[in-house]
Amino acid sequence: MTVSNPVSRKGTPRDLSGWLEFIEACHPEEIDLGLSRIRQVADQLGLKQLACRVITVAGTNGKGSTVALMDSILQHAGYRVGCYTSPHFLRYNERVRINGTMVDDHLLCDAFARIHRACTDVELDLTYFEYGTLAALVIFGDQPLDVVLLEVGLGGRLDAVNIVDPDVSVVTTIAIDHEAWLGNDREAIAREKAGIFREGRPAVYGEADMPSSIATQAAVLNCDLYHWGDRFRLERQPDARYSVSGVNAQGGNYRIDHLHCPALPPENAATAIQALHLLGVTLPVDAIRQGVSQAQLTGRMQRREDRGRQVLLDVAHNPHAAGYIAQRIPGNGALWCVVGMLTDKDGARTLEALGDVVDHWCLATLPGSRGRSAQDLYATLKPAQQKKAACFDDCLSAYENAIQASAPGDRILVMGSFLTLAAVLGRPVDGTA
């Protein structure tokens, strides 16, 4: 679909699918970083700073799970929470949630219509992500919320989410990804992600190996910086659970013992707890324990069983994330890896990070202009790994092959992209239609 001048187009879509098609065609570039356009439209809408407390989360990996953990803890503590995350798997509504529930189509359609009118008034086009970000902010602004959690889409400094001033800023991890937009080394990437920091407001960094540009930006803005392993930490306890300790908003110390984190990385639980302590909300210990133990996130270390096979789904699409999975993948039995990736990801190093643990590769071609072919992924494997690899035209074919060729008790890892997981998640398990 091509729209030469979307802001002057007569008529507006009548349903969410129509709006999504419309906003996807509104701007010639899928990614066009910068805050000028979205700020002008936000001003036209009369959008001001949200009336509730806000935490913005950036980082290469761990953003989604950190948001999910904070969301779960806050809800168990009795707070009303809005979450904006991206991308989605099966429904666009997954991106905007209130107290864990996806917002209805009509709320999104109404927000898109308001944004479109504002775009027309100021004669500007917005990208798909900018439309989505403003829609979330419009919806949150109309709701009685206590806390809003915003996940950065790409980078930080120039990401659409950064038009909001957070009370606490979080950068989870820094690794090499999105080099075309963020830079080719960790220091440059960290500089971009630290662009979400705000003067005089606390910031959290969620891993021990912190690029110096994080500390530099925090010092320039006089941010009180909380570094993982320094001002807060995670310890594994003898009962295989965890304790998190750190400093709260009032300067005192806190310690939470006997944390059970079955579905998400415990390191991100430590980051989430520290950020919430800095937000200044009341956090009963039981709410923290329950929130951490019950937090879940689609496509992050997500487990399911299908026809006697243990299936792990994770959107890992860079070497850092793949290395994390390689060290922590559960179970025994042969490991089949169903993988599809985009062309702008480091496929060679990502697959190399899993090379020592994968027994069989099922390589899938992804659709679209950014989709990578299975044959291209095959070429990145070492010769010994190529002998254990097969190429498929799509993700479902690759997944079905892994199911059929494996034996009960084997493990199947599905990874590499949201598109890869969406194809599998949309298919019922256990062979049902």
Side-chain angles (χ1 to χ4, degrees):
M1 175 179 179
T2 301
V3 180
S4 60
N5 186 15
V7 297
S8 63
R9 176 179 172 173
K10 294 182 179 179
T12 54
R14 296 183 178 181
D15 57 22
L16 182 56
S17 62
W19 271 112
L20 295 178
E21 182 182 7
F22 176 74
I23 68 174
E24 190 170 20
C26 275
H27 195 279
E29 300 293 334
E30 180 180 358
I31 299 173
D32 189 4
L33 297 177
L35 302 182
S36 174
R37 294 182 311 278
I38 190 171
R39 277 189 173 139
Q40 289 184 63
V41 178
D43 289 342
Q44 184 67 23
L45 286 164
L47 282 181
K48 305 298 181 184
Q49 181 70 15
L50 292 169
C52 59
R53 305 182 196 198
V54 177
I55 298 179
T56 298
V57 182
T60 305
N61 298 308
K63 298 189 297 292
S65 55
T66 301
V67 168
L69 284 154
M70 290 192 292
D71 185 21
S72 182
I73 292 169
L74 286 166
Q75 287 188 58
H76 278 88
Y79 295 102
R80 188 167 169 81
V81 188
C83 282
Y84 175 55
T85 60
S86 63
H88 61 276
F89 287 98
L90 302 178
R91 292 184 64 195
Y92 185 90
N93 312 56
E94 297 168 26
R95 298 181 180 223
V96 186
R97 302 185 307 280
I98 295 175
N99 268 19
T101 301
M102 295 183 290
V103 299
D104 295 334
D105 286 9
H106 79 272
L107 285 178
L108 287 164
C109 290
D110 177 68
F112 287 143
R114 290 163 63 181
I115 295 162
H116 173 57
R117 289 194 294 270
C119 286
T120 302
D121 290 341
V122 297
E123 299 183 338
L124 282 173
D125 296 337
L126 294 180
T127 66
Y128 181 90
F129 186 76
E130 288 169 337
Y131 252 100
T133 300
L134 284 181
L137 297 179
V138 165
I139 291 169
F140 293 154
D142 291 341
Q143 301 291 322
L145 300 175
D146 299 304
V147 180
V148 163
L149 306 173
L150 301 174
E151 180 188 353
V152 167
L154 176 62
R157 181 176 64 93
L158 299 177
D159 187 87
V161 166
N162 205 31
I163 65 168
V164 177
D165 293 325
D167 298 283
V168 178
S169 301
V170 178
V171 176
T172 53
T173 62
I174 299 294
I176 305 300
D177 201 3
H178 298 298
E179 297 96 314
W181 294 280
L182 305 181
N184 295 316
D185 59 75
R186 290 183 76 236
E187 291 293 341
I189 294 170
R191 242 184 321 271
E192 288 298 312
K193 295 185 185 294
I196 66 170
F197 292 176
R198 290 299 187 271
E199 187 168 3
R201 299 185 183 182
V204 179
Y205 185 73
E207 64 179 342
D209 184 13
M210 183 174 70
S212 61
S213 52
I214 294 285
T216 298
Q217 181 69 359
V220 167
L221 295 175
N222 194 30
C223 296
D224 198 2
L225 179 62
Y226 290 75
H227 177 196
W228 197 100
D230 178 15
R231 301 185 71 184
F232 69 101
R233 62 188 65 251
L234 175 79
E235 301 169 22
R236 190 176 180 91
Q237 296 180 316
D239 64 357
R241 299 196 178 197
Y242 296 87
S243 68
V244 172
S245 56
V247 181
N248 65 24
Q250 288 73 40
N253 294 328
Y254 69 85
R255 181 181 177 91
I256 313 295
D257 292 315
H258 308 300
L259 287 169
H260 180 46
C261 194
L264 297 174
E267 297 87 349
N268 295 337
T271 301
I273 292 168
Q274 179 61 68
L276 292 177
H277 272 287
L278 296 174
L279 196 63
V281 294
T282 300
L283 295 174
V285 172
D286 284 346
I288 296 175
R289 290 197 179 109
Q290 292 172 24
V292 169
S293 67
Q294 296 182 31
Q296 299 183 44
L297 186 62
T298 302
R300 273 75 162 195
M301 299 297 283
Q302 181 181 356
R303 304 185 195 189
R304 65 196 298 186
E305 185 173 332
D306 192 357
R307 286 163 277 183
R309 282 71 168 165
Q310 297 300 316
V311 181
L312 181 72
L313 302 106
D314 197 287
V315 295
H317 52 257
N318 55 54
H320 182 269
Y324 183 92
I325 293 175
Q327 296 174 22
R328 294 165 176 82
I329 190 164
N332 301 303
L335 178 61
W336 299 71
C337 185
V338 176
V339 57
M341 298 187 70
L342 298 176
T343 55
D344 56 359
K345 304 301 177 185
D346 189 344
R349 291 180 59 233
T350 300
L351 300 192
E352 182 182 4
L354 289 160
D356 291 338
V357 297
V358 172
D359 299 296
H360 306 278
W361 298 92
C362 299
L363 310 175
T365 295
L366 289 188
S369 59
R370 293 173 63 203
R372 195 171 201 153
S373 72
Q375 290 73 22
D376 186 48
L377 281 176
Y378 179 88
T380 69
L381 293 173
K382 295 179 179 178
Q385 295 169 331
Q386 290 178 341
K387 295 178 181 178
K388 303 181 290 183
C391 296
F392 300 89
D393 292 337
D394 56 74
C395 296
L396 269 184
S397 299
Y399 179 73
E400 282 300 317
N401 176 265
I403 290 287
Q404 298 298 332
S406 60
D410 283 356
R411 302 165 295 163
I412 298 175
L413 170 64
V414 183
M415 53 83 66
S417 169
F418 276 79
L419 293 173
T420 310
L421 269 65
V424 175
L425 286 168
R427 182 206 176 282
V429 297
D430 295 328
T432 56

